[in-house]
Each structure stands twice: as structure tokens, then as C-alpha cells.
Amino acid sequence: MSDEAIQATNDDASMCKRYAVEKGYWKDPFIDLLVKLGERKAPEINRGYYARVEGIRTLLEKFLRLTECKGQVVSLGAGFDTTLWRLKDADLVPSSYVEVDFRAVTSRKCQRIRSRDKLMSSLAEMSGGIEHVQISDAELHCKHYHIVWADLRNLEQFENKLNSCGIDKCLPTLFLAECVLVYMPMEKSNELLSWISSKFDSAVFVNYEQVNMLDRFGQVMVNNLRSRKCDLCGIEPCSSLKTQEQRFTSNGWTSSCAIDMMDIYHHLPDLDRIVRLEFLDETELLEQLLTHYCICTAYKDSKNIGLSSISPKS
Ligand SMILES: C[S@@+](CC[C@H](N)C(=O)[O-])C[C@H]1O[C@@H](n2cnc3c(N)ncnc32)[C@H](O)[C@@H]1O
């Protein structure tokens, strides 16, 4: 799969999120500033995205409250994500929030941010003045927020970029990846996961990704993607919840926990509201979709600060 095709997965994910926001699944007053409204998406897709966004938001906020916003967040393959602005509005900005993606993606994101007063003024307010918001070479640096480009398959480049943002390996750090590792050869994602666990002594990883890829529906998903020139070269750890957990524990993480999105969906606090948003005449496809994605968390907590509580089961 070409890097261009991998980068295009961001357009797909961000347009699905934009559409679901438009339909009222969740509020995001910033997404329309970064992402155009695309074509209609099926209700199953919108509900799936809601469970994904809500599941990740819950874990992220748990981490930020546990660390009293003194920790760091590194969003791998962040694409056009708007979380930073939402955290700012909720007064939950961590000491550093770093987004990493390919240069082609960060370049477009930086251009769009620069041309949007609402986004820029929010960053200026956070940084103590517009002069402290620097955008150049497809990167953005300001107080608490950094967008940098790196290829996550290149550890040296990734580490240099984290250093350029002043990331402190002794601070509690949450790493987030939404359908990112699956586009990396397994030996590369293993290297990345074991590098993080060996360098950071207080870390949590939140991974949203495919699961149950060996069953019939999983194989149909893989074949559909392949026919769109989207080959999931890192699919092996997506065989089951157990293999998702093992990829972390075999790469230096203390413990991990994966649950599928069906489980998360059933525990959504406002499920009643969600099911009334759009009519769904049969739920089989929704169930198939939700049982083929999962959230897996893993932690390393050398200072015993309670990172094991950042789990989709708690
Ligand atoms: C499915 S999109 C997710 C985007 C965003 N996190 C979201 O959920 O809306 C995957 C993102 O990971 C990025 N990505 C995949 N492999 C990468 C790599 N090796 N280095 C840097 N970014 C990568 C892609 O460019 C893309 O933006």
C-alpha cells in the first residue's frame, strides 16, 4: 500500500467524523473548520464512529484527570483530529499535546489552521499571544500543542521530533493510535511499541483498531479494502482480542486489556439518544461492524500512579 493511500485514510476517517457530528451524534464546534462535509454515511457507520470517539474520549479524560493535566499526550497518526481544541474548551489541556503524522497530512492541517481565526485565536490564548504560535515547515509549535511530521516506521526520526517538542520521558504519557499501527509492517509497529515501553516509565497506550480479522466478515473487510488498494500490512495482531493484548505484553508493556466496540456501544451512557437519531431497520450489520473493531489499552506504571485504571473495562 502506498504512503499516499495510507494518508488518504485520514480523509475518510475525518469525513466520517464530520458527517456524524453534522447528524448530532456528538458536538465538535471545530471539525467543520478543518474538514469538509462529504457524502452521506450509513447509520451503522455513524454509530460506530460515535462509539469510537466516545470510547477514546472517556479514556483520555480519565488520564488527564488522574494526572491533573500534568502529563503528556502523543497522538500517533493524528490526522485532522480536533481534540486539542475540545480539551482547551473543557479546561483539560495537558502539559504537552503532540500530534504526529506524515508531512503531507501535517502540511494540510497546518495550512487550514493558519487560515482559521477561531482555531488560531484559541491557540494564541493558550500560548499568551499569537507571536507564540509558530507554523513553519509543515509543523506547528505553541505552548502545550505541537504538530510534527515523522514516519512512525522510522524510530530515529520519531524520537528527534518528540525531542523537538520537549517531550519528557519521565512524565506520565498517553499514546493514542486510531487505525494507525495496522498500516505498518508488524516488525515496525513492534519496534515502536517496545521503544515506547523501554523509554517511558509511566505510559499508557490507547489503540483503536480492527479485530477478529480471521473470520468471514473480517476477511470480507480485508478483501474490500484490498480492492480499494488498501492493503492492511499490519493485520496480524488484529486476529483476536487476545492477539491485540499480546502485541503489547510481548513488547515490554506490563499489562493490556482489549474489548470490542460492541461492548463499548452497549455501555454508552446515552445510547437511548443515539438510537433515536437515525432509523436502523436491522442491526445485523451494525453488530458485525462493532465486533470487528476494538479498543485495547496497555500500561507501564513504574511509579504506581494508578495508570492501570485507564482501561476500557473499568
Ligand atoms: C485512519 S487515519 C486516522 C486519523 C485520525 N487519528 C482519526 O482517527 O480521525 C490514520 C492516520 O495515520 C497516519 N499514519 C499511518 N501510518 C503512518 C506512519 N507510518 N507515519 C505517520 N503517520 C502514519 C495516516 O497518515 C493517517 O492520518
Side-chain angles (χ1 to χ4, degrees):
M1 184 173 172
S2 71
D3 285 358
E4 287 76 20
I6 297 175
Q7 290 151 16
T9 64
N10 168 54
D11 297 322
D12 207 35
S14 52
M15 284 168 106
C16 286
K17 288 182 180 177
R18 165 84 205 262
Y19 188 82
V21 167
E22 204 71 18
K23 281 276 163 195
Y25 282 84
W26 70 96
K27 288 195 171 66
D28 183 341
F30 306 102
I31 196 161
D32 61 328
L33 302 170
L34 286 178
V35 184
K36 285 199 197 93
L37 188 60
E39 59 195 29
R40 180 187 174 274
K41 310 284 177 207
E44 294 85 355
I45 305 285
N46 300 331
R47 288 193 195 183
Y49 267 89
Y50 179 65
R52 162 177 173 173
V53 168
E54 189 55 23
I56 288 170
R57 188 190 63 76
T58 306
L59 292 165
L60 178 59
E61 289 189 8
K62 217 176 208 177
F63 171 80
L64 294 170
R65 291 183 204 283
L66 179 76
T67 55
E68 296 171 344
C69 293
K70 291 177 187 134
Q72 311 170 120
V73 175
V74 178
S75 177
L76 306 170
F80 286 179
D81 195 76
T82 53
T83 300
L84 183 276
W85 285 274
R86 292 203 280 145
L87 293 179
K88 175 165 181 303
D89 276 7
D91 215 4
L92 278 175
V93 175
S95 87
S96 283
Y97 192 100
V98 176
E99 296 185 349
V100 187
D101 211 303
F102 284 113
R103 193 180 200 286
V105 177
T106 63
S107 169
R108 283 167 64 213
K109 187 169 188 176
C110 287
Q111 275 169 26
R112 289 182 196 190
I113 293 171
R114 200 207 296 265
S115 67
R116 301 294 187 184
D117 286 349
K118 186 170 166 188
L119 298 177
M120 285 299 281
S121 59
S122 177
L123 299 182
E125 195 186 301
M126 194 169 74
S127 312
I130 196 82
E131 66 278 16
H132 300 297
V133 183
Q134 289 163 8
I135 300 180
S136 70
D137 186 27
E139 297 194 335
L140 182 151
H141 295 276
C142 68
K143 195 170 180 197
H144 303 298
Y145 185 39
H146 305 266
I147 301 177
V148 291
W149 54 265
D151 183 339
L152 297 165
R153 296 165 298 194
N154 180 341
L155 270 184
E156 198 187 327
Q157 190 182 48
F158 176 55
E159 181 168 23
N160 285 338
K161 288 299 170 88
L162 289 187
N163 290 338
S164 76
C165 303
I167 282 285
D168 180 348
K169 297 191 178 82
C170 298
L171 284 180
T173 307
L174 181 143
F175 289 83
L176 170 65
E178 285 180 64
C179 292
V180 178
L181 303 179
V182 73
Y183 299 112
M184 298 166 68
M186 194 170 73
E187 66 274 14
K188 290 289 171 192
S189 60
N190 281 344
E191 264 179 31
L192 177 67
L193 296 181
S194 76
W195 180 84
I196 297 172
S197 71
S198 68
K199 299 284 175 181
F200 289 77
D201 37 60
S202 307
V204 184
F205 203 108
V206 177
N207 189 38
Y208 170 88
E209 209 168 44
Q210 288 87 345
V211 73
N212 296 325
M213 282 295 113
L214 295 180
D215 69 16
R216 257 185 56 188
F217 188 81
Q219 287 302 300
V220 171
M221 277 170 70
V222 170
N223 292 337
N224 280 345
L225 285 165
R226 203 166 276 154
S227 69
R228 288 159 48 197
K229 302 230 168 353
C230 201
D231 206 358
L232 303 176
C233 64
I235 199 78
E236 217 178 301
C238 305
S239 306
S240 66
L241 293 173
K242 206 167 188 60
T243 55
Q244 280 287 5
E245 291 171 349
Q246 276 165 352
R247 73 166 352 160
F248 288 96
T249 47
S250 59
N251 283 299
W253 295 77
T254 306
S255 183
S256 68
C257 170
I259 71 173
D260 73 35
M261 297 310 291
M262 192 70 200
D263 226 342
I264 300 222
Y265 178 79
H266 281 311
H267 290 94
L268 287 171
D270 56 351
L271 193 54
D272 286 352
R273 179 182 71 84
I274 293 309
V275 297
R276 284 198 305 268
L277 280 176
E278 289 182 283
F279 178 67
L280 196 67
D281 54 357
E282 48 112 344
T283 54
E284 199 188 335
L285 180 58
L286 176 70
E287 280 170 27
Q288 294 276 31
L289 276 173
L290 292 174
T291 50
H292 286 82
Y293 284 92
C294 70
I295 288 183
C296 182
T297 58
Y299 70 88
K300 230 198 105 180
D301 192 4
S302 314
K303 295 181 190 132
N304 280 321
I305 58 168
L307 294 177
S308 63
S309 66
I310 319 289
S311 153
K313 272 197 182 142
S314 59

